[in-house]
Amino acid sequence: MKKKSLAVAAAVLALALQAPAAAAAESPSAYGPGSDPILFVHGWNSGGSTWNTMAGRFRADGWPAGHLRQWSYTSSQSNATTARQLATEVDRLLAATGASKVDVITHSMGGLSSRYYAKNLGGAAKIDAWVSLGGPNHGTDMANWCFQTSCIEMRIGSSFLNSLNSGDETPGSARYATWWSPCDTVINPDSSVALSGAVNTRTACLSHSGLLNDATVYGQVRDTVDS
């Protein structure tokens, strides 16, 4: 009887040890066969290096370096011009990785060119998941103090935004998600970020740049693109 009890206990322990491993295998928190390459799109007056922390976390979670493109572009030009350049960059990334779709993660103004690409240049068919961190999707009053073409397009009520937001704000079959912070002083009003048809998430009290480096936001973004 004692030997039987020990055998049962051993079996229970073995199952308990296997459970965490099974849960980890099912968790969308690490790179796997279904994971897409990621194109990072920075905001105004920035560059690809702004993604160093987030891209590093993706690498630590298994994404190959060649599947993480920290793209840089001239942020003073029209977002429509950037969108055409982005289309070329997406095709390059797909060709380099052999993937059929990409995930696009954007910060601030980067959300506008990528949305233009999705809506007007056939990009929605090539995007699996699209992420906006603190994007001026409906404009920001901070753009009133800048007179570059891209800034004028970011102003509330601009012809560019009126056209971009007309009809379906989240076109195609891509999965759209936004994150906004109540303490983001660059995007005013805060409600500018959220899109109809997207999963819109309020973060903790983070600065505009803090959205890029916060560990909680990263985990949520990772699980969103890898779901």
Side-chain angles (χ1 to χ4, degrees):
M1 186 70 179
K2 185 175 181 180
K3 288 184 179 180
K4 183 177 180 180
S5 298
L6 288 173
V8 171
V12 171
L13 178 59
L15 288 173
L17 290 173
Q18 291 172 9
E26 296 172 0
S27 173
S29 62
Y31 182 85
S35 301
D36 302 305
I38 298 173
L39 179 65
F40 296 97
V41 188
H42 64 77
W44 181 76
N45 198 30
S46 186
S49 62
T50 197
W51 297 105
N52 285 350
T53 297
M54 183 171 284
R57 285 171 168 155
F58 272 107
R59 284 193 298 273
D61 280 331
W63 270 255
H67 286 229
L68 301 169
R69 186 70 57 85
Q70 295 174 239
W71 181 51
S72 292
Y73 63 93
T74 302
S75 65
S76 60
Q77 65 192 7
S78 170
N79 286 287
T81 300
T82 302
R84 289 189 286 272
Q85 297 171 347
L86 188 151
T88 299
E89 200 65 25
V90 167
D91 288 344
R92 286 175 179 166
L93 184 56
L94 292 176
T97 60
S100 59
K101 290 191 176 185
V102 298
D103 294 326
V104 178
I105 301 179
T106 75
H107 180 241
S108 197
M109 191 183 73
L112 303 186
S113 59
S114 54
R115 287 182 61 208
Y116 187 99
Y117 165 65
K119 180 174 184 175
N120 300 311
L121 303 178
K126 298 180 181 180
I127 297 174
D128 182 21
W130 176 90
V131 167
S132 172
L133 304 177
N137 292 309
H138 298 92
T140 175
D141 60 14
M142 289 294 288
N144 295 339
W145 306 103
C146 172
F147 296 91
Q148 294 176 344
T149 300
S150 58
C151 290
I152 293 172
E153 292 173 348
M154 282 193 289
R155 293 176 182 175
I156 297 169
S158 72
S159 58
F160 177 86
L161 286 178
N162 287 341
S163 175
L164 186 63
N165 293 320
S166 63
D168 189 355
E169 292 190 339
T170 52
S173 60
R175 295 173 290 114
Y176 293 81
T178 77
W179 278 259
W180 63 277
S181 168
C183 300
D184 185 343
T185 59
V186 174
I187 305 302
N188 298 306
D190 295 336
S191 59
S192 176
V193 181
L195 290 172
S196 177
V199 176
N200 302 297
T201 301
R202 171 177 171 160
T203 72
C205 184
L206 301 173
S207 67
H208 190 59
S209 59
L211 290 163
L212 292 161
N213 303 317
D214 182 73
T216 298
V217 171
Y218 164 70
Q220 293 169 345
V221 169
R222 175 202 60 203
D223 291 350
T224 294
V225 302
D226 210 35
S227 62

